RNA sequence: GGCGACGUAGCCAAGUGGUUAAGGCGGAGGUCUGCAAAACCUCUAUUCGGCGGUUCGAAUCCGCCCGUCGCCUCCA
């Protein structure tokens, strides 16, 4: 299996350091607002990676953090008149709720920054001891000039960073690019005791401490959105490698392209967010996952309701291919699709190509059904490979109102069946049209008439 | 200003040196059907932003130009 490694800028053969065990760390969210579709994209990508690795027989230990203390959390909590803890609990709950809805597997561990303070302090102290960090006026900074290859992940040099000229001057720092490891507490802020006075950890050091604690000195895969490459992941590398001496901190760095909304990146600062809950009101979890997986994970993806609706329609054909058949002929052949799927996934997770294999398989199943072939083994393959992408092919549950209306719809359908038998087609069509106006579609098949609620717009 | 990515059919999107340029949505025609729907079949890019170049051969490599976007600051 080949994966693109941001560190080398190349597609490389993936080989875990320890046999079939894979140590994967994915940066989690800062829980102060609702989970949006950009988060969903990232976690669908890494969930799919994990599912595929497991499909190949790897044992994946997946750790994902929560940054449960930072400026935004403090600010938002104060605005809302709740404690930081309450705010964090609410949005961690929201996160799990939406990720579960999207069929994203739970990580092995979900460490939180505030519960790892001693480990974080140890790491900062170690960095100071080794000359890679220095205290200044209640803060502690990382000394970027102490790491000769600082910038290797984002492929830039300190000089070029300074040329960016958007760095604010800070008198406490030795170098403008030095970043904070420990923030001295301001009045009214939550804080923890430390050798440098009361304060809280900087963003980057949390991930270093937590990955070290739960996965050890060296990771196989470290993932996140492309917006984390600099400074977050660059700084993680600097801290971790300087603290442990183990290089590289992570052997593979993987970054997903960012979701765009219209022409802009979807981001917290732009406020152009679409919540996952909102998207799930309109589309099935499968449709949202498949939408994300229909383009390559490293490409940016523009989200639109029209696009999601098109994907939902395409899923309908696949779902129908899974309706049991009653053919007695030879089994529909699935091996060529299976190997195409695997080849695609082995090639840096080429999910668009893998998805194309699934659509082709669905077509062959439907074709085989029409030809009287047995289709159950093809269907099993479709279900299994779809599962590797986290797709269930389940219909969305019908709204409760439909359950109440079901007996009446059944009655109308049976009346219509009588009318058709009597060749009273005008009246039969009147019933079908009337139901269609109510969003109920009828299909007359060999086994009688089926009705269903129209779910796509 | 620095670093980087991308531009493939009406739309979304694979393919990155060599048989007929995946797949999906949409559209056209057909089979089936009382008519539909669904499913299936056929068609829907002689061509890959533009112009040059390298090569026996390029969407795929190189140069220039045009256009779009990301990162450099909190962000998945």
């Amino acid at each position: 299996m080949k994966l693109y490694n941001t560190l080398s800028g190349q597609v490389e053969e993936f080989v875990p350091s320890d046999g079939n065990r894979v140590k994967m760390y994915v940066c989690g969210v800062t829980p102060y607002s609702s989970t949006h579709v950009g988060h969903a994209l990232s976690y669908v990508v890494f969930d799919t990676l994990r599912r595929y690795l497991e499909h190949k027989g790897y044992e994946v230990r997946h750790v994902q953090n929560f940054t449960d203390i930072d400026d935004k959390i403090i600010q938002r909590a104060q605005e809302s008149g709740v404690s930081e803890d309450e705010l964090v609990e609410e949005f961690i709950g929201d996160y799990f709720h939406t990720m579960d809805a999207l069929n994203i597997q739970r990580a092995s561990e979900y460490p939180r920054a505030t519960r790892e303070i001693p480990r974080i302090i140890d790491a900062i102290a170690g960095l100071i001891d080794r000359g890679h960090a220095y205290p200044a006026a209640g803060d502690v900074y990382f000394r970027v000039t102490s790491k000769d290859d600082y910038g290797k992940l984002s492929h830039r040099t300190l000089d070029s960073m300074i040329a960016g000229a958007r760095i604010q001057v800070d008198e406490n720092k030795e170098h403008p690019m030095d970043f904070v490891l420990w923030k001295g507490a301001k009045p009214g802020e939550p804080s923890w005791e430390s050798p440098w006075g009361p304060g809280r950890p900087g963003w980057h050091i949390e991930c270093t401490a937590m990955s070290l604690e739960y996965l050890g000195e060296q990771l196989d895969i470290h993932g996140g959105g492309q917006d984390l490459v600099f400074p977050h992941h660059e700084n993680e590398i600097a801290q971790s490698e300087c603290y442990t001496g183990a290089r590289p901190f992570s052997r593979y760095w993987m970054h997903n392209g960012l979701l765009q909304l219209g022409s802009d990146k979807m981001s917290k600062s732009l406020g152009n967010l679409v919540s996952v809950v909102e998207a799930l009101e309109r589309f099935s979890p499968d449709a949202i996952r498949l939408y994300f997986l229909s383009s390559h994970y490293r490409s940016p993806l523009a989200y639109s309701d029209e696009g999601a609706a098109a994907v939902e329609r395409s899923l309908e054909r696949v779902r129908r291919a899974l309706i049991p058949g009653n053919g007695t002929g030879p089994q529909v052949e699935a091996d060529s699709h299976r190997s195409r799927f695997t080849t695609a996934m082995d090639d840096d997770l080429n999910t668009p190509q893998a998805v194309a294999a699934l659509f082709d398989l669905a077509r062959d199943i439907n074709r085989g059904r029409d030809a009287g072939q047995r289709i159950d083994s093809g269907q099993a393959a479709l279900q299994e490979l779809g599962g590797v992408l986290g797709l269930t092919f389940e219909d969305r549950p019908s709204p409760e109102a439909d359950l109440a209306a079901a007996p009446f719809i059944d009655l109308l359908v049976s009346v219509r069946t009588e009318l058709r038998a009597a060749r009273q087609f005008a009246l039969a069509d009147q019933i079908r049209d009337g139901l269609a106006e109510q969003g109920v579609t009828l299909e007359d098949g060999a086994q009688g008439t089926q009705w269903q609620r129209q779910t796509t717009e």
Side-chain angles (χ1 to χ4, degrees), chain A residues 65-81:
Chain A
N65 68 295
F66 284 112
T67 300
D68 63 346
I69 184 68
D70 95 332
D71 291 345
K72 293 279 177 54
I73 289 174
I74 295 168
Q75 183 190 335
R76 186 63 64 91
Q78 286 173 353
E79 286 168 4
S80 315

Side-chain angles (χ1 to χ4, degrees), chain A residues 268-322:
Chain A
K268 292 178 179 180
S269 54
L270 291 172
N272 56 347
L273 306 171
V274 174
S275 76
V276 180
V277 170
E278 201 177 317
L280 284 170
E281 280 169 10
R282 302 199 57 190
F283 307 107
S284 65
D286 271 5
I288 292 169
R289 281 191 81 112
L290 188 57
Y291 188 11
F292 295 157
L293 298 175
S294 292
S295 75
H296 189 83
Y297 76 90
R298 282 193 278 126
S299 306
L301 174 66
Y303 179 84
S304 72
D305 279 351
E306 293 72 28
V311 171
E312 189 80 77
R313 284 192 291 274
S314 76
L315 264 172
E316 198 48 39
R317 184 159 62 89
V318 182
R319 292 189 183 117
R320 285 174 181 275
L322 290 167

Side-chain angles (χ1 to χ4, degrees), chain A residues 31-32 72-91 188 190:
Chain A
Y32 70 90
K72 293 279 177 54
I73 289 174
I74 295 168
Q75 183 190 335
R76 186 63 64 91
Q78 286 173 353
E79 286 168 4
S80 315
V82 298
S83 70
E84 283 81 9
D85 280 352
E86 287 169 318
L87 185 86
V88 161
E89 287 308 323
E90 178 191 344
F91 288 111

Side-chain angles (χ1 to χ4, degrees), chain A residues 189-413:
Chain A
E189 287 182 353
S191 64
W192 289 262
E193 284 307 318
S194 83
W196 318 284
R200 56 192 162 93
W203 177 32
H204 316 300
I205 195 69
E206 303 166 14
C207 284
T208 287
M210 291 188 259
S211 61
L212 213 55
E213 177 71 12
Y214 293 91
L215 291 169
E217 294 190 346
Q218 193 174 50
L219 311 174
D220 289 305
I221 298 173
H222 191 132
Q226 275 172 355
D227 52 351
L228 298 185
V229 173
F230 190 91
H232 187 53
H233 290 166
E234 193 71 60
N235 292 350
E236 275 187 56
I237 289 175
Q239 296 159 348
S240 301
E241 294 185 355
C242 289
Y243 179 58
T244 68
R247 296 189 184 200
F249 165 47
S250 177
R251 303 172 60 244
Y252 301 84
W253 284 88
M254 295 181 64
H255 294 98
N256 62 277
L258 301 180
L259 196 77
Q260 315 282 127
L261 194 62
S263 57
D264 294 317
K265 181 182 80 163
M266 182 180 296
S267 76
K268 292 178 179 180
S269 54
L270 291 172
N272 56 347
L273 306 171
V274 174
S275 76
V276 180
V277 170
E278 201 177 317
L280 284 170
E281 280 169 10
R282 302 199 57 190
F283 307 107
S284 65
D286 271 5
I288 292 169
R289 281 191 81 112
L290 188 57
Y291 188 11
F292 295 157
L293 298 175
S294 292
S295 75
H296 189 83
Y297 76 90
R298 282 193 278 126
S299 306
L301 174 66
Y303 179 84
S304 72
D305 279 351
E306 293 72 28
V311 171
E312 189 80 77
R313 284 192 291 274
S314 76
L315 264 172
E316 198 48 39
R317 184 159 62 89
V318 182
R319 292 189 183 117
R320 285 174 181 275
L322 290 167
I323 296 169
N326 55 10
T328 53
Q331 285 282 5
V332 161
E333 186 272 334
D335 288 349
S336 63
H337 300 106
R338 184 187 288 278
S339 71
R340 183 177 166 207
F341 178 93
T342 304
T343 302
M345 292 296 280
D346 279 342
D347 181 18
D348 191 28
L349 239 49
N350 189 338
T351 55
Q353 201 60 246
V355 165
L358 295 190
F359 279 113
D360 283 343
L361 175 56
R363 167 162 288 124
D364 278 359
I365 289 168
N366 285 327
R367 190 185 291 164
R369 185 202 309 276
D370 289 351
Q373 288 181 260
R374 293 182 60 196
I375 56 178
D376 53 291
S377 68
Q379 288 175 324
L382 180 55
Q383 192 76 59
E384 180 201 337
L385 298 177
V388 173
L389 301 181
L391 303 173
T392 64
F393 302 124
E394 283 167 15
D395 270 320
R396 310 166 72 185
S398 297
E400 283 190 22
D402 284 0
L403 299 174
F408 301 100
I409 296 170
D410 287 340
L411 179 62
L412 283 166
V413 167

